[in-house]
Coordinates of all heavy atoms in Angstrom, one line a residue:
Chain I
T588 N 11.3 115.8 197.3 CA 11.6 115.5 198.7 C 11.1 116.5 199.6 O 10.6 116.3 200.7 CB 13.1 115.3 198.8 OG1 13.5 114.3 197.9 CG2 13.6 114.9 200.3
I613 N 20.9 115.3 184.8 CA 19.5 115.7 185.2 C 19.2 116.8 184.1 O 19.8 117.9 184.1 CB 19.5 116.3 186.6 CG1 20.2 115.3 187.6 CG2 18.1 116.6 187.0 CD1 19.5 114.0 187.8
L638 N 16.6 116.8 194.4 CA 17.4 117.8 193.9 C 16.6 119.0 193.6 O 15.7 119.0 192.8 CB 18.1 117.4 192.6 CG 19.1 118.4 192.0 CD1 20.2 118.9 192.9 CD2 19.6 118.0 190.7
K657 N 26.9 135.6 173.7 CA 27.1 135.5 172.2 C 25.9 134.8 171.7 O 25.3 134.0 172.3 CB 28.4 134.8 171.9 CG 29.6 135.5 172.3 CD 30.9 135.0 171.7 CE 32.1 135.4 172.3 NZ 32.5 134.5 173.5
G671 N 13.4 137.8 174.8 CA 12.3 136.7 175.0 C 12.7 135.8 176.1 O 11.8 134.9 176.4
L703 N 13.1 125.7 177.0 CA 14.5 125.2 177.1 C 15.3 126.2 178.0 O 15.0 127.3 178.1 CB 15.1 125.2 175.7 CG 14.6 124.1 174.7 CD1 15.0 124.5 173.3 CD2 15.0 122.8 175.1

Side-chain angles (χ1 to χ4, degrees):
Chain I
T588 303
I613 312 292
L638 182 61
K657 295 195 197 88
L703 291 168

